[in-house]
């Protein structure tokens, strides 16, 4: 990433889940922190989400899921991203995700899972830290 | 009959005494011990005074503003003896996995003293998809029970006589289909339709800005709501065809005032639409029911419930010229708040639910669902559900708050807050009216923006520690003890469902299916009440997805207006 360029984030809601309070708060907080945020709206299929991430050329994909369908939908998303060679995108997940499911999600390519109690500041710092260190590695 | 409670000259004297107390006693005290905060705000932003006295409710007219329980404006309750006669209905919302599993949970709840059933459907069902639809992958039976055909509904209520229970169904877009299935199961059990009792949520308006589970655009959505109201008024008279819901508005991020105001605005819209259909107000209004959330700020919540009854009674009497008392009644179901439950130190949620239950009881709710303490982590486990139900039973039988009517009525603080809540609601209702009503307000993103702003503000308040949430931004511990094993839905539910559906589609009479769908198409085109055609269709084993698919084809899809 060129310095001075805005971090681009896609906030997405996979599956039929309609609990969008958290996703909207996150989208707004990242935007207030100076990032370029695109929110997909509800009920996106893995294909739609990956397509949007590709089209929008995002640095970060933030997935919010509270429906319990994360073990089906999140690996489907990371699988499609791998197929399309999008390994440079930082993929994060948040919502109601039991601790014991996290290792398997990480194996599938989810960089980190943010549960209840995460502050928006923590999230902003985490994303900045990751993207900036990646940018340094590329230099 | 005007019946002011406080004489003006006495109130003036009292105000003087109060000023003296502020200047002489309070000031000195505060110099030594400053108050904990500069101002104390409720969630709706009402500034709580240090102390409430008669001068804060000096304009109170007992008969006009409070009345006796069972009398207009019902501030003190709908029924003459309140909970002294009959306790509220303890109605636990349940549903997961297959219809068999949920049927077992229902029977467990009935054994444990639950007095009404309440069905949670899974996301595919809620959105009108069958379990075998591609979008249902990974979601079948996860957030609720999967019901794709009348067969599933039969299984769900197997061994439960429908004339002996009342059943609430949290279903909106496809409400007509699920109600039709319930009626069909009743027909099968030999229960006459006029003896079925229960509720379909069937409140589409709030879906467009709060729960966001929409199937069709607003106009046909409201048409279907009114179809159900009309059909039930004529044929299923003990059914509550709609439960006008603030719960989801609140959980989406609204504060208590917004919750109440937006819900009442929706209610007004339904009444107007039913009148336009040609129904008479006193025919259908007695069966309109409401659904609210109960949060932790007990005083504000009690004020909200009391104000809700008073405002609705005024709207029904003064604006819609209702004559029957029952048409003015706001009967309400209350659920404790999911959003206030914390994943941290989950056992603390028992205390939160207790406070919220007390607020609901002190507010005069007709039925209550208490959330389980493990719900911030997973769907509730059986043991946690039992504790939630026990919480209601303790409130009912041990706390004493149900033994006298409206015990907080007359509290200077509660009455002042009730007034403030009412005033705030009228303000919002005027504003929404000025926008042309609820549908234009949805289309302009008004509700969505209001809710998003409140929810963001709340999050920031927690992060700044302006609000303390125990275990979240203060009072941490390493010991995250959970005394139950979390529920995991059996993953085979999906397979079982899909196989069952396949079998059903193979074995049913294809000709009957085709005819039923043909009739439904004609009825949509002729724009008549769809309930009879839908009942016929479900009896011909047409599935939920097939019926909703046809309706989506004819009415068009809906795409959410995104407001962050």
């Amino acid at each position: 990433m060129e310095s001075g360029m805005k971090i681009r984030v896609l906030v997405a809601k996979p599956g039929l889940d309609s609990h969008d309070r958290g996703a909207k708060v996150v989208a707004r907080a990242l935007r207030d922190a100076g990032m370029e945020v695109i929110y997909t709206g509800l009920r996106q299929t893995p294909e739609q989400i990956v397509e949007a991430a590709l089209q929008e050329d995002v640095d970060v994909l933030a997935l919010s899921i509270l429906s319990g369908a994360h073990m089906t939908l999140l690996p489907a998303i990371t699988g499609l991203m791998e197929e399309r060679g999008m390994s440079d995108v930082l993929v994060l997940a948040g919502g109601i995700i039991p601790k014991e499911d996290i290792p398997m999600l990480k194996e599938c390519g989810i960089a980190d899972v943010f549960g209840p109690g995460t502050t928006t500041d923590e999230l902003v710092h985490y994303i900045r830290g990751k993207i900036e260190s990646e940018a340094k590695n590329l230099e | 009959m005007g019946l002011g409670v406080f004489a003006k000259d006495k109130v003036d004297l009292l105000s003087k005494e109060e000023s003296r107390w502020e200047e002489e006693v309070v000031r000195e005290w505060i110099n030594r011990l400053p108050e904990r905060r500069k101002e104390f705000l409720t969630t709706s932003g009402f500034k709580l005074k240090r102390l409430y006295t008669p001068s804060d409710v000096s304009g109170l007219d007992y008969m006009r503003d409070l009345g006796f329980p069972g009398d207009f404006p019902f501030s003190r309750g709908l029924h003459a003896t309140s909970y002294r006669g009959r306790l509220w209905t303890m109605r636990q919302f349940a549903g997961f996995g297959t219809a068999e599993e949920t049927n077992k949970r229902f029977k467990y709840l009935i054994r444990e003293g639950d007095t009404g059933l309440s069905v949670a459907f899974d996301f595919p069902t809620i959105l009108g998809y069958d379990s075998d639809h591609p979008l249902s992958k990974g979601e079948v039976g996860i957030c609720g029970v999967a019901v794709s055909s009348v067969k599933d509904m039969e299984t769900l209520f197997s061994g439960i006589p429908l004339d002996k229970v009342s059943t609430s169904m949290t279903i909106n877009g496809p409400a007509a289909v699920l109600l039709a299935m319930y009626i069909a199961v009743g027909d099968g059990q030999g229960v006459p339709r006029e003896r079925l009792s229960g509720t379909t949520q069937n409140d589409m308006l709030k879906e467009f800005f709060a729960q966001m589970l929409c199937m069709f655009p607003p106009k046909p959505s409201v048409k279907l709501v009114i179809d159900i109201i009309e059909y039930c008024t004529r044929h299923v008279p003990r059914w509550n065809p709609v439960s006008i819901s603030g719960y989801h508005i609140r959980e989406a991020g609204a504060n208590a005032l917004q919750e109440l105001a937006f819900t009442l605005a929706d209610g007004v819209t339904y009444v107007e639409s039913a009148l336009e259909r040609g129904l008479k107000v006193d025919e259908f209004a007695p069966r309109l029911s409401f659904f609210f959330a109960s949060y932790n700020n007990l005083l504000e919540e009690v004020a909200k419930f009391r104000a809700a009854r008073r405002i609705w009674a005024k709207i029904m009497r003064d604006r819609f010229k209702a004559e029957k008392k029952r048409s003015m009644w706001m009967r309400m179901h209350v659920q404790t708040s999911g959003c206030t439950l914390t994943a941290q130190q989950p056992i603390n949620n028992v205390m939160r639910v207790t406070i919220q239950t007390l607020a609901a009881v002190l507010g005069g709710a007709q039925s209550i669902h208490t959330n389980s303490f493990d719900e911030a982590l997973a769907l509730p486990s059986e043991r946690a559900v039992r504790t939630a139900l026990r919480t209601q039973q303790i409130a009912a039988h041990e706390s004493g708050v149900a033994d006298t009517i409206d015990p907080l009525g007359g509290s200077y603080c509660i009455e002042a807050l009730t007034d403030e809540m009412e005033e705030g609601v009228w303000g919002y209702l005027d504003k929404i009216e000025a926008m042309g009503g609820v549908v234009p307000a949805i289309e302009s993103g008004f509700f969505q923006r209001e809710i998003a702003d409140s929810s963001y503000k709340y999050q920031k308040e927690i992060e700044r520690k302006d609000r303390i949430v125990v275990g979240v931004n203060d009072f941490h511990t390493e010991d995250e003890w959970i005394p139950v094993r979390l529920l995991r839905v059996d993953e085979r539910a999906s397979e079982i469902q899909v196989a069952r559906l396949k079998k059903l589609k193979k074995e049913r009479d294809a000709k009957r299916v085709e005819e039923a769908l043909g009739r439904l198409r004609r009825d949509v085109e002729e724009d008549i009440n769809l309930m009879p055609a839908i009942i016929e269709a479900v009896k011909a084993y047409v599935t939920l997805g097939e019926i909703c698919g046809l309706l989506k084809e004819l009415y068009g899809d809906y795409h959410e207006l995104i407001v962050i």
Side-chain angles (χ1 to χ4, degrees):
Chain A
M1 197 186 74
E2 289 168 43
S3 62
M5 247 177 80
K6 277 189 171 181
I7 298 175
R8 291 175 67 79
V9 186
L10 180 72
V11 176
K13 288 285 305 172
L16 303 181
D17 181 24
S18 75
H19 296 95
D20 61 355
R21 181 173 178 165
K24 285 181 168 175
V25 166
V26 165
R28 188 150 162 182
L30 299 183
R31 194 179 64 191
D32 285 358
M35 300 180 198
E36 198 83 56
V37 180
I38 305 124
Y39 170 53
T40 60
L42 294 167
R43 285 188 279 290
Q44 302 292 304
T45 61
E47 290 77 9
Q48 286 169 321
I49 290 171
V50 173
E51 189 57 33
L54 197 65
Q55 292 302 324
E56 298 288 351
D57 191 23
V58 294
D59 306 297
V60 183
L61 172 59
L63 299 161
S64 161
I65 184 160
L66 293 86
S67 66
H70 51 273
M71 296 303 269
T72 309
L73 294 170
L74 301 192
I77 292 168
T78 49
L80 283 170
M81 291 176 78
E82 205 181 308
E83 277 173 30
R84 299 203 177 188
M86 295 165 69
S87 58
D88 55 331
V89 178
L90 177 69
V91 188
L92 309 175
I96 304 286
I97 296 175
K99 274 196 194 110
E100 61 267 29
D101 293 348
I102 295 175
M104 152 111 179
L105 292 174
K106 285 193 171 172
E107 249 169 60
C108 295
I110 305 286
D112 243 309
V113 176
F114 295 88
T118 309
T119 66
T120 52
D121 277 351
E122 280 163 24
L123 202 56
V124 168
H125 285 134
Y126 175 92
I127 291 175
R128 280 212 186 108
K130 281 276 185 186
I131 300 292
E132 275 157 21
S133 74
E134 215 170 274
K136 264 190 201 131
N137 288 341
L138 288 174
E139 271 166 15
Chain B
M1 176 174 49
L3 207 61
V5 176
F6 303 106
K8 194 179 171 304
D9 53 333
K10 299 275 165 61
V11 172
D12 288 346
L13 270 178
L14 185 70
S15 297
K16 269 186 210 149
E17 280 298 313
E18 199 178 333
S19 310
R20 178 201 57 79
W21 171 74
E22 287 278 351
E23 273 160 38
E24 291 176 11
V25 186
V26 176
R27 189 180 295 169
E28 194 199 318
W29 190 267
I30 283 182
N31 280 341
R32 275 187 292 153
L33 179 70
E35 289 186 327
R36 287 181 290 120
R37 270 183 252 148
K38 224 175 173 170
E39 48 186 25
F40 292 79
L41 299 173
T42 70
T43 68
S44 308
F46 298 147
K47 240 183 243 174
L48 280 176
K49 285 185 62 189
R50 177 172 296 122
L51 179 79
Y52 288 85
T53 69
S55 54
D56 295 296
V57 285
S58 59
L60 191 79
D61 181 316
Y62 188 85
M63 292 306 288
R64 184 194 62 200
D65 301 325
L66 302 181
F68 287 97
D71 280 351
F72 190 87
F74 310 103
S75 309
R76 308 208 66 184
L78 298 179
H79 306 305
T81 59
S82 185
Y83 304 131
R84 287 166 65 104
R86 189 171 61 198
L87 288 166
W88 62 91
T89 303
M90 299 183 190
R91 191 187 291 284
Q92 296 294 91
F93 185 47
F96 59 91
T98 58
E100 284 88 352
E101 283 172 278
T102 301
N103 177 261
K104 263 191 228 153
R105 174 67 69 91
F106 282 166
K107 288 178 175 162
Y108 170 80
L109 284 166
I110 292 170
R111 269 203 313 279
E112 294 292 331
D114 201 41
T115 49
L117 297 175
S118 176
V119 192
F121 296 103
D122 67 0
F123 274 120
T125 307
I126 285 174
L127 287 159
Y129 297 117
D130 284 340
S131 298
D132 60 355
H133 191 281
L135 286 174
S136 304
K137 201 162 182 275
E139 317 251 13
V140 175
I142 300 289
C143 256
V145 60
V147 175
S148 302
S149 78
V150 73
K151 284 253 185 222
D152 297 333
M153 192 65 105
E154 262 168 34
T155 309
L156 191 58
F157 290 97
S158 134
I160 302 172
L162 297 195
D163 52 348
K164 298 281 187 309
V165 290
S166 77
T167 304
S168 170
M169 292 193 268
T170 298
I171 194 76
N172 294 280
V177 185
L178 277 304
L179 175 59
M181 289 179 186
Y182 193 81
I183 289 171
V185 172
D187 286 355
Q189 288 188 0
V191 179
R193 293 182 188 176
E194 56 277 10
R195 291 187 58 192
L196 293 177
S197 84
T199 307
T200 31
Q201 190 165 85
N202 188 32
D203 167 10
M204 277 313 296
L205 288 171
K206 59 96 171 61
E207 296 296 329
F208 292 97
F209 58 88
Q211 188 163 241
M212 316 299 279
L213 293 162
C214 314
M215 282 168 53
F216 324 113
K219 226 182 127 201
S221 294
V222 173
K223 178 236 179 319
L224 279 169
V225 172
I226 305 303
D227 276 5
I228 296 177
I229 293 178
E230 186 183 27
Y231 185 84
C232 289
T233 303
R234 309 250 186 266
H235 306 285
V236 202
R238 290 174 58 199
W239 196 265
N240 302 309
V242 54
S243 169
I244 307 159
S245 305
Y247 189 82
H248 319 81
I249 299 173
R250 188 73 179 277
E251 293 281 291
N255 61 40
L257 170 63
Q258 291 166 323
E259 175 197 6
L260 181 53
F262 299 171
T263 308
L264 287 165
D266 290 346
V268 166
T269 309
Y270 294 132
V271 174
E272 282 173 340
S273 309
L275 292 172
E276 272 168 34
R277 179 70 68 95
L279 292 168
K280 295 204 172 58
V281 69
D282 284 317
E283 265 181 334
F284 68 90
R287 302 266 17 142
L288 299 177
S289 63
F290 287 81
F291 173 25
F292 293 106
S294 187
Y295 274 57
N296 289 329
N297 190 318
L298 185 132
L299 304 176
E300 181 177 43
E301 294 302 316
V302 173
K304 179 186 80 183
F305 298 129
R306 296 175 81 251
R309 269 193 302 276
R310 182 155 86 202
I311 301 166
W312 187 246
K314 289 182 184 175
I315 290 174
M316 293 311 290
R317 187 190 69 175
D318 302 338
R319 176 165 176 180
F320 294 116
K321 311 294 175 213
E323 287 173 4
K324 276 192 199 163
K325 242 185 196 182
R326 280 173 183 268
S327 304
M328 304 171 203
W329 280 4
M330 171 184 269
R331 292 171 302 131
M332 56 171 98
H333 173 68
V334 174
Q335 180 172 341
T336 61
S337 155
C339 279
T340 61
L341 301 182
T342 65
Q344 300 84 351
Q345 304 173 46
I347 197 71
N348 294 347
N349 292 326
V350 176
M351 273 55 89
R352 294 188 175 98
V353 172
T354 304
I355 294 168
Q356 295 163 11
T357 304
L358 282 175
V361 175
L362 292 166
Q366 274 58 56
S367 72
I368 300 176
H369 163 102
T370 33
N371 287 336
S372 301
F373 62 83
D374 56 356
E375 279 187 66
L377 302 160
L379 285 196
S381 60
E382 207 163 84
R383 284 184 169 156
V385 169
R386 184 169 58 206
T387 300
L389 181 57
R390 294 287 182 261
T391 306
Q392 294 195 47
Q393 291 159 341
I394 291 167
H397 301 289
E398 298 183 27
S399 76
V401 297
D403 297 346
T404 181
I405 305 169
D406 187 31
L408 293 192
S411 143
Y412 310 124
C413 166
I414 290 291
E415 296 301 353
L417 278 178
T418 305
D419 288 348
E420 202 166 349
M421 190 64 81
E422 179 175 352
E423 206 186 302
V425 167
W426 291 124
Y428 264 120
L429 291 180
D430 287 346
K431 203 168 174 181
I432 294 162
E433 201 102 334
M435 282 183 264
V438 170
V439 173
I442 289 170
E443 286 162 351
S444 74
F446 168 74
F447 298 114
Q448 296 92 319
R449 237 180 340 268
E450 285 268 327
I451 292 171
D453 286 348
S454 286
S455 121
Y456 195 61
K457 183 169 159 267
Y458 181 78
Q459 177 66 25
K460 287 289 166 190
E461 283 167 1
I462 290 173
E463 295 189 4
R464 283 196 309 265
K465 290 200 176 193
D466 289 347
R467 269 178 206 289
I468 297 300
V469 179
V470 173
V472 172
N473 61 1
D474 208 346
F475 310 106
H476 302 282
T477 173
E478 291 301 308
D479 175 19
E480 297 283 341
W481 174 63
I482 311 175
V484 289
R485 185 157 2 127
L486 295 182
L487 179 88
R488 282 209 90 115
V489 177
D490 191 339
E491 279 158 17
R492 281 168 309 178
S494 174
E495 285 166 41
I496 295 170
Q497 243 326 87
V498 171
R500 183 152 52 198
L501 205 52
K502 217 177 191 175
K503 189 162 169 277
L504 175 106
K505 284 183 182 170
K506 216 171 85 188
E507 289 175 357
R508 67 186 179 180
D509 180 347
K511 194 162 160 274
R512 253 183 94 195
V513 169
E514 208 177 299
E515 280 167 8
L517 283 170
R519 176 183 171 191
L520 180 59
R521 182 184 288 271
R522 275 196 308 280
D523 287 4
V524 171
E525 281 159 0
E526 286 172 23
D527 200 25
I528 59 175
N529 194 313
L530 302 186
M531 277 307 293
I534 294 176
I535 293 172
E536 187 187 307
V538 302
K539 284 189 168 180
Y541 301 107
V542 182
T543 65
L544 168 80
E546 290 165 334
I547 296 173
C548 294
L550 176 63
L551 294 177
K552 278 178 204 166
E553 177 200 319
L554 298 172
Y555 287 136
D557 240 332
Y558 178 76
H559 297 284
E560 119 188 62
L561 177 68
I562 293 175
V563 180
I564 294 172

